[in-house]
Amino acid sequence: MPVIAVIGAQWGDEGKGKVVDLLAQKARMVVRFSGGDNAGHTVVNPYGEFKLHLIPSGIFYPRVVCIIGNGVVINPSVLMDEIAQLNQRGVDTTNLFISDRAHLIMPYHTLLDGLEEESRAGKAIGTTRKGIGPAFTDKAARLGIRAGDLLDKEVLLERLRFVLDYKNTILTKIYGASPLSLDEVYTQYCQYGERLAPHIRETTIMLEEALNREELVLLEGAQGTLLDPDFGTYPYTTSSSPLAGGSCVGAGLGPARVSRILGVFKTYCTRVGGGPMPTELKDETGDLIREQGHEYGTTTGRPRRCGWFDAVAARFSTRINGFTGVALTRLDVLDTLPRLKICVGYKLDGNTIDYFPANVAALGRCQPICEELPGWQTPISHIREYEQLPLKAQQYVTRLQELTSCPINLISVGPEREQTIMVSSIL
Ligand code: GDP
């Protein structure tokens, strides 16, 4: 059985949670590999509607082992709340495991996230202020505290004493904020450790065992390709790699083990926070897509910026991830639109270009060159066979497939599991 990486192909919120929930029916393991609780998946299934921030979307299947991989940064309090909420609604979480190498979000990370954003004033990144960026910064700066450290109180105290001293200097001397108490933070994280200890493991061994047993493993992405720190719209990016390449590092397996890379695209584009978005619609059509698609953040409730499908960005995303197939979501959101546009190139300073510029200032000046297609203007959420889709919807999908040069494996026509059209085999 293969390993399938499920990757956000745009700016996040593509519907990865639904796709993973669907594919997890046949999986044995789901590993979340990047981001933190700034990401959020909404999953609608027979248990009800759930908003997950850290726990992999496979948690609803008792036989599926869910792993929060080393590439994720974990806020223990958020994780414990999420576990409690799932348990209250009858979802078992005994099969949830946390990599002992995953870094923790500490109280100074959340404080610094807010203070740093405020100091950027007009140049704020639009972070969720949940401490994700500062936690990844500390990981790279070798100042991080990891889940495994919670299992040894002496190690934790020694590490915390060293790091907190340094962080308190920054909080007080640079930002004029109050220092944090070592005693309080230590006691709080010892309590978290006691609660989370049954879940903390060397998870790569579990992963290897599943691979050796030839079981289906899903690598669950968070955020999207265009937010990658290397390939996204830097500096308006996230802090860990949401790419297929990042899935190996963040889950703990070698690239040759990944057999399929499924890119999840919406049939249009959305973006939260700052940074350029060439196809953004600041008009009634943008508002209509937002309302039809309920395009408000799972984690923050922030309205998402909406725009036409950007095939230039999509080709770029396909290239750097090496997608073997596409899951196209939210086709139903376009049901009422009389005309649809697809961006097929950019006009940049009088020249036509067909690539996604690295420079955000240049990307910000790009004007989309669009093709126009007729809308189908009829509901499609009940449809389960590709051939039953209105011809105009098929034409739209075919054009997206041509432009991304990647086979479309499935089309999602609604939030629920069964509101899915299987077009071709993912495997
Ligand atoms: P993720 O982080 O990529 O999982 O995306 P989000 O959970 O932030 O946003 C996806 C939203 O779209 C969720 O509310 C899903 O229930 C919903 N969704 C997923 N697929 C479809 C679809 O095909 N049609 C509609 N209308 N909603 C969908």
Side-chain angles (χ1 to χ4, degrees):
M1 278 290 233
V3 176
I4 304 175
V6 180
I7 305 296
Q10 296 158 316
W11 277 287
D13 310 314
E14 297 91 350
K16 298 173 291 294
K18 162 168 175 173
V19 173
V20 171
D21 177 66
L22 180 76
L23 301 182
Q25 290 178 90
K26 294 198 176 139
R28 179 75 175 117
M29 189 174 270
V30 181
V31 190
R32 168 82 187 271
F33 65 80
S34 69
D37 63 292
N38 52 345
H41 300 307
T42 307
V43 177
V44 185
N45 61 28
Y47 285 100
E49 183 179 305
F50 293 86
K51 295 192 188 301
L52 300 176
H53 301 292
L54 284 164
I55 298 181
S57 312
I59 199 70
F60 303 100
Y61 302 95
R63 65 181 291 280
V64 174
V65 173
C66 286
I67 292 180
I68 301 180
N70 54 282
V72 180
V73 290
I74 300 171
N75 183 328
S77 135
V78 172
L79 178 59
M80 285 178 352
D81 281 354
E82 212 166 300
I83 293 174
Q85 279 173 28
L86 285 168
N87 293 160
Q88 270 163 23
R89 293 174 67 186
V91 181
D92 183 20
T93 49
T94 30
N95 267 342
L96 172 71
F97 297 97
I98 303 163
S99 164
D100 52 4
R101 290 181 169 85
H103 281 245
L104 299 177
I105 295 180
M106 306 299 292
Y108 42 82
H109 291 138
T110 6
L111 279 173
L112 287 168
D113 204 351
L115 292 166
E116 284 166 10
E117 273 290 86
E118 273 152 35
S119 73
R120 287 186 193 110
K123 298 257 184 239
I125 293 170
T127 81
T128 50
R129 302 187 181 212
K130 290 174 182 287
I132 316 290
F136 277 113
T137 304
D138 276 359
K139 177 176 177 174
R142 290 154 297 190
L143 287 171
I145 294 179
R146 309 199 291 180
D149 298 335
L150 295 179
L151 302 180
D152 185 329
K153 289 185 180 170
E154 276 175 37
V155 169
L156 178 64
L157 182 60
E158 193 188 331
R159 191 86 188 123
L160 196 57
R161 183 175 284 128
F162 166 70
V163 178
L164 198 59
D165 195 33
Y166 177 78
K167 294 292 171 185
N168 275 340
T169 309
I170 297 176
L171 282 170
T172 54
K173 301 257 163 66
I174 296 188
Y175 293 106
S178 309
L180 290 165
S181 140
L182 174 64
D183 257 11
E184 279 174 27
V185 179
Y186 175 65
T187 310
Q188 189 180 41
Y189 276 70
C190 282
Q191 284 165 3
Y192 292 153
E194 280 158 23
R195 293 276 302 280
L196 293 175
H199 298 280
I200 301 174
R201 292 281 169 90
E202 161 45 293
T203 50
T204 61
I205 295 174
M206 304 170 74
L207 183 53
E208 186 185 31
E209 283 168 0
L211 296 177
N212 290 345
R213 286 194 300 263
E214 307 248 308
E215 291 169 335
L216 176 62
V217 173
L218 303 177
L219 306 180
E220 175 175 344
Q223 286 120 2
T225 297
L226 305 176
L227 294 172
D228 179 73
D230 283 272
F231 292 101
T233 50
Y234 191 85
Y236 300 95
T237 57
T238 192
S239 316
S240 59
S241 176
L243 304 181
S247 73
C248 298
V249 181
L253 80 174
R257 295 281 206 170
V258 180
S259 28
R260 290 287 181 271
I261 302 169
L262 186 66
V264 186
F265 286 92
K266 282 183 192 183
T267 49
Y268 50 92
C269 278
T270 60
R271 169 162 207 171
V272 182
M277 175 183 170
T279 62
E280 181 172 10
L281 290 164
K282 293 181 179 162
D283 59 7
E284 294 126 44
T285 310
D287 295 342
L288 187 66
I289 295 175
R290 186 175 307 107
E291 292 318 311
Q292 299 284 16
H294 309 291
E295 292 290 1
Y296 296 89
T298 308
T299 302
T300 56
R302 287 189 283 188
R304 295 175 182 149
R305 298 154 66 191
C306 297
W308 298 120
F309 188 88
D310 185 338
V312 180
R315 273 198 302 274
F316 172 66
S317 181
T318 304
R319 173 152 52 86
I320 57 170
N321 284 294
F323 293 140
T324 57
V326 165
L328 198 58
T329 65
R330 300 178 150 258
L331 188 61
D332 55 298
V333 171
L334 305 179
D335 279 355
T336 58
L337 295 175
R339 317 248 354 128
L340 303 170
K341 288 187 183 174
I342 304 173
C343 167
V344 293
Y346 298 145
K347 202 91 190 154
L348 174 61
D349 304 333
N351 300 313
T352 300
I353 61 167
D354 63 357
Y355 64 89
F356 193 75
N359 180 318
V360 276
L363 188 64
R365 292 197 304 279
C366 283
Q367 295 300 317
I369 301 169
C370 289
E371 278 182 12
E372 207 170 288
L373 276 81
W376 44 94
Q377 296 194 282
T378 177
I380 57 163
S381 282
H382 60 286
I383 294 175
R384 301 289 172 268
E385 301 290 330
Y386 183 73
E387 291 69 29
Q388 306 292 313
L389 281 174
L391 214 54
K392 287 172 181 159
Q394 291 187 30
Q395 281 164 354
Y396 183 70
V397 170
T398 306
R399 190 65 189 127
L400 296 190
Q401 177 161 284
E402 283 165 4
L403 289 165
T404 47
S405 308
C406 196
I408 290 173
N409 293 147
L410 68 88
I411 300 170
S412 175
V413 291
E416 291 179 25
R417 252 183 220 166
E418 64 276 12
Q419 291 178 310
T420 307
I421 300 172
M422 296 309 295
V423 183
S424 58
S425 169
I426 296 170
L427 303 177

